[in-house]
Each structure stands twice: as C-alpha cells, then as structure tokens.
Amino acid sequence: SEGMAALARARGAARVEVVPQGCDLDLFGPHIPPWRPEAAASHELLAVYAGAHGVANGLGLLVEAARELARRGERRWRLLLVGEGGEKPALVAAARGLPNIGFLDPLPKRDLARLLAGSQAGLLCLAPVPAFAEWTAPNKLMDYLAAGLPVLSNLPGEAARLLAGGAGESLPPRDPAALADALQRLAEAPARRAAMAEAARGLALRRFDRRLLARRFVETVESCLR
C-alpha cells in the first residue's frame, strides 16, 4: 500500500515503487455463473464477508449488525461469513438464534467467484486499529471490486478514499447500527446498488487489472536494471 511505501521512505529507502493488489478479471465478474447456498431464501439479498476470522478482523461488528437488522424486523438481507480462524467458534456462538446470518467454510477461489456473482454486497471489516488505515491491502476488496459488488467497509484511510468514487460506502469502525442502516439503504434502492456495482467493476478494470499491474511491475524492474 502507499502507506507502507511512506513508512519505508521515512526509514531511509532510496526508491520505493508501489504495485498494488490486483483484480483477477477472468476469475471474478458478472460473466461468472452465480451460486447461492441452500440456506439463502430466494427473496434474500446476500452480503458476503470472505476472509480470515481472527481477532484482527473484528467480525463481531457483522454479528451485531445482523442482530440489529433482526431487531428492526429487516428480512431482506442475509449476512454470510466465509472463511476460518481462531475467532470463528465464538462468532458462531454469538450468532446462534439469529435468522439472518450464516457461516461457510473456506471456499476454493472458483467457488467463491460463483458466490460473489450471486451476491449483492461485499463486506470489508477490520478491527479498529489505527495502523490498519494505511498499512493494509485486503485482497478481499479486490475480489469484491472484480465481481462488481458494492462494498460496505469500516476501514478509514486508503480503502475509504478508494470507495469514495462511488463503488461503496465507508462506515464508522465500531457502529453496527450504521452498517445496518447502510444495508437497508441498499435494499431500498436497487438502482443505487446497480450504479455502485458498475462503479466497482469499472474501478477494477481501470486501475487494478492484474495484467496492467504485471506490466507495471516489469517496467519498474527494467528501469532499475537500466
């Protein structure tokens, strides 16, 4: 990330070039046949978190957002957490009895691509650690953008600046009610969802195509050799 590069420069690195995380536009995208788990009702919109379930991920926020949606009687969304990690048993226990949240084991990338193709939002979540704002580069964000999903994120900094162009919405880091509000807004505005999805895929195409980034990497290395 640019934040990592700034730290390297501050500590004396003479030259730092940033080649960011990239999107696999062949594997993820609207051209992929969609898949939805059996537990997802046909009327439900799917909001997917795909990644590690550790302390650093702060996924209790997602469980509490699901609880808030259930308290409001909101039945349009199902939150789906895909992955593994040390916090997963506690998260599953905390979510017990909630009708609008589910958990899946880690999926092969091709299966994840099909799930994202059948979903309506991507969830980006990290614990509120200040260093995460500029020093992280979550690959799940790239997958969501490539899949053309609106992204709801609790990360400030680089991720927030990226989503400010219309591909998603940045929310307070510790506020499950704000996340529930954002999901309700998306449910009530299909046209806005579609515009955000188009913006996300467009961002992936313009800035994060892995083929473009590979070319930049090669050019950077060759310029160093010269």
Side-chain angles (χ1 to χ4, degrees):
S1 71
E2 292 291 347
M4 298 175 192
L7 178 64
R9 294 185 189 105
R11 296 190 176 182
R15 178 178 177 182
V16 182
E17 302 285 346
V18 178
V19 180
Q21 288 273 40
C23 293
D24 189 331
L25 298 176
D26 295 324
L27 182 58
F28 292 93
H31 58 287
I32 300 299
W35 172 78
R36 290 163 60 91
E38 290 183 5
S42 59
H43 71 275
E44 287 181 319
L45 303 169
L46 290 183
V48 174
Y49 169 89
H53 291 41
V55 173
N57 305 103
L59 300 184
L61 174 73
L62 305 186
V63 175
E64 291 309 309
R67 193 181 312 281
E68 176 64 17
L69 290 170
R71 186 190 67 78
R72 298 178 186 182
E74 173 59 73
R75 296 181 175 86
R76 290 173 290 187
W77 282 103
R78 173 173 291 273
L79 278 63
L80 194 59
L81 279 63
V82 184
E84 193 56 86
E87 293 296 297
K88 186 167 184 176
L91 292 165
V92 171
R96 191 166 292 124
L98 291 176
N100 58 354
I101 188 169
F103 296 84
L104 289 178
D105 290 336
L107 293 173
K109 279 283 190 177
R110 292 193 181 279
D111 293 340
L112 176 61
R114 294 184 61 210
L115 173 61
L116 295 186
S119 301
Q120 286 67 51
L123 301 174
L124 183 60
C125 186
L126 278 174
V129 177
F132 290 167
E134 304 294 349
W135 295 357
T136 58
N139 57 5
K140 63 181 71 63
L141 173 58
M142 295 296 107
D143 294 346
Y144 298 157
L145 294 177
L149 286 181
V151 180
L152 299 180
S153 168
N154 76 334
L155 274 68
E158 187 166 5
R161 292 191 295 272
L162 190 63
L163 297 179
E169 189 172 347
S170 297
L171 305 164
R174 303 174 186 262
D175 194 339
L179 177 53
D181 291 342
L183 286 165
Q184 288 189 302
R185 286 193 295 271
L186 283 182
E188 291 159 5
R192 178 170 177 257
R193 258 195 347 262
M196 293 170 77
E198 184 177 351
R201 179 71 179 181
L203 191 59
L205 288 167
R206 292 191 309 275
R207 289 184 54 185
F208 298 109
D209 185 338
R210 284 184 178 177
R211 291 163 293 198
L212 298 177
L213 298 178
R215 188 177 306 129
R216 189 194 308 177
F217 178 84
V218 170
E219 290 170 353
T220 301
V221 172
E222 289 179 341
S223 72
C224 292
L225 293 173
R226 287 195 296 272

